[in-house]
Amino acid sequence: MQIRVEVFGDVTAVSLAGEVNSRTAGRVEEALLPLVTGGCKLLLDMCEVSYMSSAGLRMLLLLHREVENKAGQVVLVGLQEMIRDTMAITGFLDFFRDCKTVEEGLELLKAYEAH
Amino acid sequence: MKKRLCQLQPLTVPCKLEFLDALAVFVQQASKEADLDYRTSYRLRLAVDEIATNIILHGLSDSLQPSTLTVYAELDDQYLTIHLEDTGSGYNPAEAIPPDKIRGPEQGQKVGGWGIYLAMWGVDEFEYVRMHARNLSKFRVRRPSCGEHRESDS
């Protein structure tokens, strides 16, 4: 699992590459949760995540709660088809905004500011 | 129905998380031999991964005997069946949770519980038996060549 963090203005973009499973989800969680601060804008780029088990769902749940608690925003980018299916069948997709590209994700986060 | 073991040799690994990748490779190779499409193969791998993870994290016996996981595959004209055997304590995943109560990350919901749900979603049939102090889990998926393909290849 590779985790890369970049900053685009007021957006923190985290790119994941590899598999999010019971062996790697803890590391992702440790990297992500400290980035969630008051009113944060977080973009989670999952274009290069090829597999996600329920350990990844658990990680996303914790992220969602933390972002909600801190009145922040999170957008998921580039979910692969089967990961999207997994999130849809468990109801997770209803709780996250997702889009196909980083550019779209940045636009979504910017649009939120305008509201 | 004529059955045969997959060409793959059965694999036995210690009951530890770091050996789950080896199980995944086994399932992927069996899926390839069975000509499964990507979606079916992904779901099957997910199902085996979830149940094996559950066994490792929650199903180990108190015995001093080191627990192991053994996986082997069986093919017939219609199905690929993955057999997963472990020496942990008795636990039937199919009775663990009612799947219809699992809906997303609402506040206050307990963390977790999706693994077994995903495992059941991932296969056409799941069967569990406890026999000779072993747990036997069977994951069965329909092969595409039988004409009743569950979903189109992507």
Side-chain angles (χ1 to χ4, degrees), chain B residues 15 17 50-62 86 88-91 111-113 116:
Chain B
C15 231
L17 289 177
E50 295 292 355
I51 296 298
T53 299
N54 206 59
I55 291 165
I56 293 168
L57 294 180
H58 308 297
L60 296 184
S61 67
D62 297 328
D86 72 272
S89 53
Y91 175 70
V111 176
I116 291 167

Side-chain angles (χ1 to χ4, degrees), chain B:
Chain B
M1 182 65 61
K2 189 179 176 185
K3 290 185 178 181
R4 68 176 174 88
L5 283 181
C6 218
Q7 295 298 319
L8 292 167
Q9 290 295 313
L11 174 70
T12 297
V13 296
C15 231
K16 294 180 177 175
L17 289 177
E18 57 261 41
F19 290 95
L20 288 174
D21 288 336
L23 289 188
V25 169
F26 181 94
V27 174
Q28 286 164 335
Q29 288 175 342
S31 296
K32 193 174 175 185
E33 192 170 327
D35 295 322
L36 299 188
D37 61 69
Y38 171 71
R39 295 174 66 85
T40 310
S41 170
Y42 184 103
R43 285 183 176 192
L44 178 60
R45 182 255 167 119
L46 180 62
V48 176
D49 187 21
E50 295 292 355
I51 296 298
T53 299
N54 206 59
I55 291 165
I56 293 168
L57 294 180
H58 308 297
L60 296 184
S61 67
D62 297 328
S63 156
L64 293 175
Q65 192 74 13
S67 295
T68 58
L69 285 167
T70 297
V71 65
Y72 59 97
E74 194 175 49
L75 274 177
D76 62 33
D77 294 341
Q78 290 193 333
Y79 293 100
L80 167 65
T81 307
I82 299 289
H83 299 254
L84 182 67
E85 299 187 8
D86 72 272
T87 52
S89 53
Y91 175 70
N92 183 354
E95 293 176 353
I97 44 164
D100 59 353
K101 289 187 179 170
I102 301 168
R103 290 295 297 173
E106 286 105 340
Q107 292 283 336
Q109 186 180 43
K110 75 183 178 77
V111 176
W114 299 282
I116 291 167
Y117 178 61
L118 289 177
M120 301 300 127
W121 170 69
V123 294
D124 291 308
E125 291 172 34
F126 177 82
E127 195 181 316
Y128 165 87
V129 289
R130 174 87 178 161
M131 193 184 292
H132 306 307
R134 297 175 76 84
N135 299 300
L136 314 176
S137 300
K138 272 192 212 176
F139 307 80
R140 180 170 289 164
V141 292
R142 200 180 292 271
R143 298 179 66 187
S145 55
C146 67
E148 266 187 81
H149 198 310
R150 50 192 262 166
E151 284 188 56
S152 62
D153 200 347
S154 55

Side-chain angles (χ1 to χ4, degrees), chain A residues 19 22-23 50-54 57-58 61 64-65 68 81-83 85-86 89-92 94-95, chain B residues 17 20-21 38-39 42 45-46 49-50 53 103-107 109 111 114-115 117-118 121 154:
Chain A
E19 298 193 347
S22 54
R23 284 79 74 205
S50 56
Y51 174 82
M52 187 171 79
S53 71
S54 63
L57 292 179
R58 181 185 178 280
L61 168 61
H64 178 269
R65 284 184 180 173
E68 288 281 299
E81 186 188 0
M82 289 309 297
I83 293 176
D85 277 6
T86 304
I89 200 76
T90 48
F92 271 69
D94 300 337
F95 292 84
Chain B
L17 289 177
L20 288 174
D21 288 336
Y38 171 71
R39 295 174 66 85
Y42 184 103
R45 182 255 167 119
L46 180 62
D49 187 21
E50 295 292 355
T53 299
R103 290 295 297 173
E106 286 105 340
Q107 292 283 336
Q109 186 180 43
V111 176
W114 299 282
Y117 178 61
L118 289 177
W121 170 69
S154 55

